[in-house]
Amino acid sequence: MADVTTEGTRPDAAMPSPERLAEAGLRFEVDGPVATLTLNRPERRNALTFTTWHTMAAVGDALPPQVRVVVVRGEGPSFCAGIDLAMFTGQGGGFPDGADPEATDTFIAGLQAGYLWLRRPDIVSIAAVHGHAIGGGFQLALSCDLRVVADDAKFCMKEPALGIVPDLTGTKPLVEIVGVAKALHLCLTTRTVLADEAERLGLAEVLVARDGLDAAVADLTTALLAVDHHTATATKRLLHQAAENTLAQQAAAERHEQRALLRRLSELTP
Ligand code: ACO
């Protein structure tokens, strides 16, 4: 499993071509420090194929180093309808049958890599969610650091209804946000959470009218970019370890990050 606290852009990685992105149902644009990854298969409600996840991982590997904010959004009426159901059949290649544990593990890890990089400390990822966010789509929103949610959003963790667990790295953030009992309730009833409940549960940092989604994402991006990059990276790295650290460990981690920032500030001050 990738160490998401340290991995970043790989110097030897090449950004997937526009053709490869299109084949994966993706569009990727960079405007200075802001990158936008658009799920772009609206006719399939942005359903995700194995190629989509592999290509998303390749985007993360080759993310231009000046990028500080990554916005993940969906084209058309839905954010994302989750896995393309054709992936369960021969048509999409099918999943490994689990008989070879190592091969199955490697296969799933390859899909998870499509989402894991969104936690990198040197970026802040924002999911702009409207319409349906189902299964792998819900987990994609959970993989982002922040969620800006339109009032027509509908979240559903559908996997257990299909006989599988949510395995795209969404269970940890789900439990961290809503707690084990509510996460269990959402997963095992596979019920749909509407936008206002999502906000109450903490699944939405910002809730806006559907036609205000892009503007709200732009406002949040501007606010995030106002903080110095080194400071933002150190803060995210620090906050991400807080839950696992003891108080003493976290206090030490605060001192460690602060020492580096103070050194940098003193070097910058004439
Ligand atoms: N995989 C493949 N095709 C899909 C998917 C999907 N996950 N979701 C939608 N589509 C296709 C539909 O088959 C339909 O195709 P058609 O035009 O050829 O008939 C087209 O996208 C539009 O879908 P509609 O159902 O007509 O769109 P609507 O907006 O009414 O509903 C919704 C959207 C709610 C997302 C619905 O399509 C749906 O429930 N999809 C299945 C969701 C699902 O079960 N995903 C798997 C979750 S588990 C996981 O991700 C691991």
Side-chain angles (χ1 to χ4, degrees), residues 38-163:
T38 301
L39 307 178
N40 192 26
R41 276 180 95 205
E43 72 288 356
R44 286 269 167 254
R45 301 299 182 261
N46 301 325
L48 306 155
T49 66
F50 299 143
T51 307
T52 316
W53 282 299
H54 295 148
T55 308
M56 285 176 72
V59 169
D61 283 345
L63 196 70
Q66 85 271 13
V67 170
R68 295 192 45 197
V69 174
V70 176
V71 177
V72 181
R73 58 183 295 280
E75 202 62 68
S78 298
F79 175 68
C80 176
I83 191 168
D84 188 318
L85 295 170
M87 296 302 106
F88 288 106
T89 67
Q91 213 187 331
F95 275 90
D97 63 9
D100 180 342
E102 209 173 303
T104 308
D105 199 73
T106 302
F107 182 83
I108 298 172
L111 306 183
Q112 291 172 331
Y115 289 0
L116 278 172
W117 63 273
L118 293 162
R119 277 94 157 186
R120 274 166 51 168
D122 59 327
I123 58 168
V124 179
S125 51
I126 303 173
V129 183
H130 73 284
H132 290 277
I134 303 179
F138 189 1
Q139 294 192 69
L140 175 56
L142 286 165
S143 299
C144 291
D145 295 310
L146 304 170
R147 282 150 293 280
V148 179
V149 172
D151 56 7
D152 69 343
K154 299 174 186 69
F155 296 90
C156 171
M157 202 64 92
K158 185 81 174 286
E159 285 83 347
L162 303 177

Side-chain angles (χ1 to χ4, degrees), residues 10-28:
R10 294 180 191 198
D12 55 338
M15 184 57 70
S17 66
E19 293 74 27
R20 183 175 163 202
L21 287 161
E23 199 184 311
L26 295 169
R27 214 170 57 229
F28 182 69

